[in-house]
């Protein structure tokens, strides 16, 4: 056993900023952060998203501009979400794989403007289907048809990779989609495109502000027949194992804050990079407190993000990314 007090005084390790930095076990830098961008069709569009204060709906040209500014702040990675224009939804969600969709155009515009930035693109159908579900629904029901959805996801991932996405990130939670996407990418000669699978994605109240932003809430029913039940840690580990077997390069745990134990458990068992999603509801909690003057938003965000790193995440998707990057300098 080490010596105790008064020979040992741990406060000596906290005496200055330099000392604290020297002995800090887990670091948080802008390079660990992935900044989500919400693409909409059009040109010159930059509209505040009411449910996500500080975030914007951006047309592809504006997204490229936003990305360039974020890169100047130290951000190196982005996650792209798209949505169709008015009247653009249908049963199969075909807007998701439109080569000229807002997401595809946004990926192209961003890669053009900041070629060194890493661009990941979310792969899902919920913003594009009339049902608001993440897959195709069997006629007259709210049951999502797993196997009928797989080729549509593969097509969506391929179109985003062809637009230049470095990473495709399926968030739908159908069984077998990672394998289906890997096969489709390889057949299209896109073997260098990486897959970040939303492996342990739990059904959550914390997605509310995002669904407002994306207009992607299910019209009827909910997502509990495909997203994981919050009581299940072992099942989350099985999902991670299966996705890695199917060819995922990185795995995600989502949400982050209420699932730090899941991040820690995945870290113990797997050697693949782990990405945690600090989701919209987690952002909303911090921003709402900050707006009321109840807390300092950016330092509170850093504390949250550091907890996610400490739990074992390599990278974190967060709406605070730019704010935090600027603060960290
Ligand atoms: C789409 C998707 C969702 C999020 C990311 N991709 C919403 C959902 O599953 O309902 C949530 C992100 C957030 O809340 O910040 N499937």
């Amino acid at each position: 056993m080490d010596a105790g007090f008064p020979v040992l005084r741990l406060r000596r390790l906290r005496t200055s900023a330099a000392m604290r930095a020297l002995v800090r076990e887990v670091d948080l830098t802008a390079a660990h952060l992935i900044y989500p961008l919400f693409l909409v069709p059009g040109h010159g569009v930059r509209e505040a998203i009411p449910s996500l204060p500080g975030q914007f709906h951006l047309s592809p040209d504006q997204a490229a501009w936003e990305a360039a500014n974020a890169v100047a702040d130290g951000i190196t990675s982005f996650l792209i979400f798209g949505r169709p224009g008015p009247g653009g939804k249908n049963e199969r969600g075909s807007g998701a794989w439109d080569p000229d969709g807002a997401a595809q155009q946004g990926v192209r515009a961003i890669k053009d403007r900041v070629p060194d930035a890493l661009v990941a693109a979310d792969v899902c159908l919920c913003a594009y289907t009339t049902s608001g579900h993440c897959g195709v629904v069997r006629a007259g029901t709210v049951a999502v048809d797993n196997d009928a959805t797989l080729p549509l996801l593969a097509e969506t991932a391929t179109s985003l990779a062809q637009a230049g996405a470095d990473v495709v990130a399926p968030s739908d939670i159908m069984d077998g989609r990672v394998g289906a996407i890997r096969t489709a990418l390889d057949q299209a000669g896109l073997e260098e495109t990486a897959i970040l699978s939303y492996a342990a994605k739990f059904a959550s109240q914390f997605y509310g502000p995002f669904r407002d932003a994306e207009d992607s809430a299910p019209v009827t029913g909910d997502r509990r027949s495909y997203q994981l039940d919050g009581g299940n840690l072992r099942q989350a580990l099985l999902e991670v194992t299966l996705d890695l077997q199917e060819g995922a390069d990185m795995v995600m745990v989502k949400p982050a804050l209420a699932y730090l134990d899941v991040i820690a458990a995945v870290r113990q068992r797997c050697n693949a990079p782990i990405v945690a999603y600090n989701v919209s509801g987690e952002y909303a909690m911090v921003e709402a407190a900050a707006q009321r003057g109840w807390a300092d938003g950016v330092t509170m965000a850093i504390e949250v993000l550091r907890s996610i790193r400490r739990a074992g995440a390599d990278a974190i998707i967060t709406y605070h990314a730019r704010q935090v990057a600027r603060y960290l300098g």
Side-chain angles (χ1 to χ4, degrees):
M1 226 356 230
D2 295 329
F5 176 84
V7 174
L8 195 63
R9 290 175 184 268
L10 290 180
R11 283 186 56 188
R12 287 182 200 122
L13 298 176
R14 302 170 198 147
T15 47
S16 66
M19 178 65 93
R20 290 190 291 273
L22 188 75
V23 302
R24 189 166 295 132
E25 296 161 33
V26 165
D27 208 2
L28 178 74
T29 72
H32 296 119
L33 307 179
I34 303 172
Y35 188 35
L37 294 177
F38 291 95
L39 272 292
V40 292
H43 192 87
V45 182
R46 181 185 170 83
E47 276 170 15
I49 301 176
S51 62
L52 288 167
Q55 311 299 316
F56 297 85
H57 279 131
L58 303 163
S59 53
D61 60 306
Q62 293 292 305
W65 185 79
E66 179 82 6
N69 288 329
V71 165
D73 287 335
I75 296 295
T76 56
S77 301
F78 298 92
L79 176 62
I80 304 305
F81 292 98
R83 54 183 279 184
K89 298 188 194 233
N90 57 40
E91 267 172 39
R92 298 175 80 227
S94 64
W97 58 90
D98 177 354
D100 290 320
Q104 287 80 356
Q105 283 188 30
V107 168
R108 276 196 289 272
I110 294 167
K111 285 306 282 187
D112 217 42
R113 186 75 156 263
V114 278
D116 293 338
L118 183 141
V119 175
D122 187 86
V123 174
C124 198
L125 304 184
C126 57
Y128 303 91
T129 51
T130 34
S131 67
H133 279 289
C134 300
V136 282
V137 169
R138 287 201 190 90
T141 74
V142 289
V144 173
D145 188 336
N146 190 90
D147 295 11
T149 301
L150 298 182
L152 311 184
L153 296 167
E155 182 93 30
T156 303
T158 305
S159 78
L160 291 160
Q162 275 164 346
D166 304 291
V167 178
V168 289
S171 66
D172 53 282
I173 322 304
M174 298 302 117
D175 288 321
R177 90 269 209 226
V178 173
I181 289 172
R182 186 70 270 161
T183 303
L185 290 175
D186 289 354
Q187 276 170 2
L190 295 160
E191 56 284 321
E192 288 196 1
T193 307
I195 299 177
L196 161 60
S197 113
Y198 285 66
K201 175 173 173 179
F202 292 88
S204 174
Q205 192 59 42
F206 284 96
Y207 305 152
F210 172 96
R211 289 179 190 166
D212 280 352
E214 277 285 272
D215 183 26
S216 65
V219 174
T220 43
D222 54 45
R223 304 213 204 285
R224 285 181 296 179
S225 74
Y226 38 106
Q227 299 181 346
L228 279 71
D229 183 290
N232 292 342
L233 170 62
R234 294 196 306 270
Q235 200 181 87
L237 296 172
L238 278 171
E239 288 282 7
V240 167
T241 304
L242 288 173
D243 284 3
L244 289 170
Q245 279 172 2
E246 288 177 35
D249 301 283
M250 298 178 265
V251 289
M252 194 193 298
V253 177
K254 174 192 177 192
L257 210 39
Y259 299 86
L260 291 174
D261 60 318
V262 179
I263 298 174
V266 175
R267 175 76 300 153
Q268 273 192 355
R269 285 167 186 76
C270 98
N271 294 319
I274 299 173
V275 179
Y277 201 142
N278 176 226
V279 298
S280 58
E282 301 171 44
Y283 175 77
M285 289 196 299
V286 172
E287 290 302 307
Q291 271 184 10
R292 284 165 180 72
W294 292 345
D296 176 57
V298 72
T299 47
M300 188 182 250
I302 286 171
E303 194 171 333
V304 167
L305 297 173
R306 195 178 282 134
S307 79
I308 298 168
R309 289 270 300 143
R310 202 175 57 239
D314 296 293
I316 308 169
I317 302 162
T318 178
Y319 305 98
H320 295 293
R322 224 179 132 182
Q323 221 179 317
V324 166
R326 253 190 247 131
Y327 181 88
L328 294 175

